[in-house]
Each structure stands twice: as structure tokens, then as C-alpha cells.
Amino acid sequence: LGAERRARLPPGEMGWPLVGGMWAFLRAFKSGKPDAFIASFVRRFGRTGVYRSFMFSSPTVLVTTAEGCKQVLMDDDAFVTGWPKATVALVGPRSFVAMPHDEHRRIRKLTAAPINGFDALTGYLPFIDSTVTSSLRAWADHGGSVEFLTELRRMTFKIIVQIFLGGADQATTRALERSYTELNYGMRAMAINLPGFAYRGALRARRRLVAVLQGVLDERRAARAKGVSGGGVDMMDRLIEAQDERGRHLDDDEIIDVLVMYLNAGHESSGHITMWATVFLQENPDMFARAKAEQEAIMRSIPSSQQGLTLRDFRKMEYLSQVIDETLRLVNISFVSFRQATRDVFVNGYLIPKGWKVQLWYRSVHMDPHVYPDPTKFDPSRWEGHSPRAGTSL
């Protein structure tokens, strides 16, 4: 870098050769005290909001303030996605985590309606409703204890496979779930492709997943060529049909990588966040009573002619929405995201050199007492009538 540029770097340390700060990072998360990693930088170097380290095999700047995160996330000229090699290889080079900005916008626009559009959500609701109801009934009828997170992940995966692939049998769903679990273990691991390392097993899992998804895709395309309809429309069908303003469709690699990305993200985040929201409500009986009363009021307002819940009913769930927002603040599944500097740029007055990776520590923002008073307290009411300023809710 040269002496002049080096002098303008954020405070920090690069750690051990090759390993860098990864041991301290992993130790903090294995200990159940995830905030200890950033706290060690704050303790030694002060509250500068940016620190340097060597993470996931790259020189890296850690950004821990709302203003810094907002600057990095909003500046598409100075920063591009910079996810670790393991994540890119496992999710796929044609997924959102790896593609250039313009291509990212094109794919995101193409996939928005099939994933979050009104028609798509309306179509998915009945299966979500019936699956959650039958799962709750099965747990209640079990007669003993259940391993809650395992059952939640199984339930969310069943829903997601139905939404994405439709009609998959139970054996296929279980096989896919095992592969996704193995894939997830390697998602933020160091990219060491040797026996015994999580990354190697995750690569095998990705190959199995791609083979299954390609097989289903081939069957769908062959059926379409013959004019045969499979009945219901799932997300794979919607992605096959999607086209941009120039008439371009997604190719097989793009569809598969988008499905791998959303299947994994939806499975892990939905299961864990549902678990934590349940735990927090269990620990706070008054909040549980208020959330339950809101649901019962909505149920009473549903006309007898209506089958199941509608999106209109969901929009009435104001307090439950606050519970979910507060759960996401306290236990954000994506505690950190990754960018890379395309040129020399300054954040909080410190230099991020061209080519360096940038880690945005969402959790540090959410646990900052200057942003959220008493941040370790679970308090859904902090979201009542509150619109968070940009960069503070990530």
C-alpha cells in the first residue's frame, strides 16, 4: 500500500498468517457470545466504527455503525458484492451473491413477482396455512417432548419445497433437506477442499442438489414442449416463464442458482426466526397474551364463507409484526454481509483500499445502545409507530 495509504487505514490487526482473525471470530461464535469478536476491537482500538483484519483469506475492513453500513450499501460505484469464496461456490456463480450490479438488478426484477408478488403469495398461502396447522396438531398429539428447532426446520422446508418445486414426495423432501443442512454448514467456512472440512462436504451436497434440480427442470421443459401441464403453478414454473422487457428468459444455470439460494436462505432463516420468536414470547407472558389476543380477534373477523387466511388478514397482524421485527433485530440470521471496494474509498474518515473486502456487521448496529436504547431487552413496542432511519434496520 505504501506508507501514506497504510497510515490512513482503520485501526486493527491482521492476525496470524493465512488464518488472520478467523480463530477469534469462530471462537466468539462457538462460545455463544457472538458480540465478543467486535467487542475485542472496540476494547483495544476505541469506538471508531471501522476496523481492519484478515478474514476469509482476504484483507478486510469491518464496518459496525449505521452510517458506515448505509454508505457502503448505497454506493454501487465504490462497492460490489464480495462474499467469501466458499459462499459463492456453494450458492452458485449465477446467484445474487456473485453477479455484477446490472445483472443483479435484471435477475432480481425477473424473480420479484414469482417470489413476492401478490398472485404468488395468494397461491402459496393455503398450503402454508394447512402445513403449519397439521404440524402443530402433530406436535400436540405426540404425547412427549419434541426437538423444536428440528421440527420447525422440517416444517419450513416442507413448505418451501412445495412452493418452489410443488408435489415433491416425502422421501425427496427429506433427501433435499439433508443436503441443504450439509450445504449450510460450509456456507461461511474457509474454502478448504480437504477431507474432514465442512466446505468439502458442502460441495458434495451442492452437486447432489444441482443434479436433482436439473432433473426436475428437464422434466418441466420436456412436458412444456409436449404441451402437458402439471396442474398447479410453483416457483420453478414461474421462473421458467419469466422474461424481461427484451424477451429474454432465465437459463437453467440462473434458475438453479436462484432456487439453491432461496431454498437455503428461506429454510434456515424461517426455522430459526420462528424458534426465537417463540422463545421470546414464552419468556414474556404479557407479550404472548397480547399477540394471541390479536390473532383471536382476526379469527373472529373472518367471515364463515372464507376458507383459511388471506393476505388481508395478515396485514391486520400489527403487534405480531412488531414481535417479528424485534426478533430479527436481536437475532438477525444474516449477522454480517460482504462487499468489496472497486476503488480507494473513505468510510468514517478511514481508507478502504481498492480490492479489499468489507464486512458489514448488522448485529453491531442492532445492538448499539445509541441506536436502540437497552438493546439486549426484547421489546416489540419499540417498533410501534417507528420508521427506522436508513442503515439502522438491516
Side-chain angles (χ1 to χ4, degrees):
L1 292 176
E4 185 179 343
R5 292 168 77 215
R6 196 160 59 244
R8 307 188 75 174
L9 289 172
E13 62 180 15
M14 305 308 273
W16 294 90
L18 300 178
V19 175
M22 290 300 292
W23 290 135
F25 166 78
L26 293 169
R27 187 168 61 246
F29 278 79
K30 297 287 185 183
S31 73
K33 298 177 181 177
D35 301 313
F37 180 66
I38 293 296
S40 70
F41 284 90
V42 175
R43 188 173 60 252
R44 287 177 291 160
F45 306 111
R47 292 187 176 278
T48 60
V50 285
Y51 307 95
R52 75 174 185 270
S53 187
F54 192 83
M55 303 286 291
F56 295 95
S57 307
S58 299
T60 300
V61 170
L62 318 174
V63 180
T64 65
T65 64
E67 293 74 20
C69 287
K70 178 186 173 185
Q71 179 183 340
V72 174
L73 289 168
M74 297 295 287
D75 192 342
D76 293 325
D77 293 326
F79 299 98
V80 294
T81 54
W83 290 83
K85 179 182 175 182
T87 306
V88 174
L90 295 173
V91 177
R94 307 299 295 277
S95 69
F96 291 165
V97 301
M99 61 181 60
H101 179 64
D102 289 344
E103 187 66 3
H104 185 145
R105 290 183 67 175
R106 183 181 83 88
I107 302 298
R108 190 166 185 105
K109 190 176 179 181
L110 273 176
T111 58
I115 291 164
N116 285 324
F118 181 86
D119 290 342
L121 291 175
T122 300
Y124 304 150
L125 264 179
F127 183 77
I128 296 173
D129 196 351
S130 65
T131 303
V132 173
T133 303
S134 62
S135 297
L136 289 169
R137 202 167 280 134
W139 302 341
D141 293 341
H142 185 267
S145 62
V146 296
E147 196 171 81
F148 190 45
L149 179 58
T150 299
E151 294 300 327
L152 277 175
R153 292 177 74 200
R154 195 163 284 155
M155 180 187 77
T156 56
F157 198 76
K158 183 178 180 181
I159 290 169
I160 287 167
V161 168
Q162 176 68 25
I163 288 171
F164 282 49
L165 299 178
D169 58 39
Q170 193 167 2
T172 302
T173 302
R174 287 287 174 89
L176 285 169
E177 184 186 6
R178 284 193 295 271
S179 293
Y180 268 100
T181 300
E182 194 171 354
L183 181 80
N184 193 62
Y185 285 145
M187 199 63 75
R188 289 188 176 91
M190 295 180 73
I192 301 173
N193 190 8
L194 293 173
F197 284 86
Y199 178 65
R200 187 181 184 89
L203 282 174
R204 284 197 308 268
R206 175 178 165 83
R207 286 193 291 270
R208 291 197 299 269
L209 289 167
V210 169
V212 170
L213 293 173
Q214 185 65 63
V216 176
L217 201 49
D218 291 342
E219 289 175 8
R220 297 285 174 91
R221 292 201 186 281
R224 283 168 173 268
K226 296 176 182 176
V228 178
S229 172
V233 178
D234 58 28
M235 194 174 292
M236 181 176 275
D237 292 319
R238 295 177 195 272
L239 291 175
I240 291 171
E241 293 167 358
Q243 61 178 347
D244 63 18
E245 60 277 1
R246 292 163 56 185
R248 291 179 299 173
H249 291 268
L250 297 169
D251 62 32
D252 284 8
D253 288 345
E254 288 171 327
I255 291 174
I256 287 171
D257 282 357
V258 166
L259 287 172
V260 169
M261 177 184 67
Y262 275 118
L263 276 162
N264 188 67
H267 176 213
E268 289 298 319
S269 60
S270 299
H272 280 84
I273 288 299
T274 306
M275 179 197 75
W276 279 109
T278 306
V279 169
F280 290 142
L281 288 174
Q282 187 95 21
E283 292 174 345
N284 296 276
D286 55 331
M287 298 175 190
F288 175 69
R290 183 176 171 185
K292 188 180 181 199
E294 179 182 69
Q295 297 302 306
E296 290 170 340
I298 291 169
M299 292 300 292
R300 287 194 297 271
S301 72
I302 294 175
S304 56
S305 58
Q306 179 180 308
Q307 294 292 317
L309 294 169
T310 66
L311 289 179
R312 189 170 56 252
D313 300 320
F314 275 93
R315 294 193 180 107
K316 297 177 184 175
M317 299 179 185
E318 295 180 6
Y319 185 69
L320 188 61
S321 181
Q322 294 167 22
V323 168
I324 293 166
D325 284 343
E326 181 68 347
T327 303
L328 286 166
R329 182 190 69 82
L330 270 176
V331 287
N332 193 324
I333 297 302
S334 294
F335 63 92
V336 63
S337 70
F338 301 84
R339 296 291 186 272
Q340 182 171 332
T342 60
R343 55 178 168 81
D344 283 4
V345 62
F346 288 86
V347 173
N348 282 20
Y350 293 101
L351 172 68
I352 301 178
K354 178 181 178 180
W356 278 38
K357 301 285 188 176
V358 182
Q359 287 187 1
L360 305 171
W361 280 74
Y362 296 166
R363 182 170 172 82
S364 294
V365 176
H366 293 165
M367 301 304 287
D368 185 342
H370 297 101
V371 179
Y372 295 100
D374 199 2
T376 59
K377 180 183 178 183
F378 181 74
D379 181 14
S381 66
R382 72 171 84 236
W383 298 94
E384 195 167 348
H386 172 66
S387 297
R389 57 189 173 87
T392 61
S393 179
L394 299 161

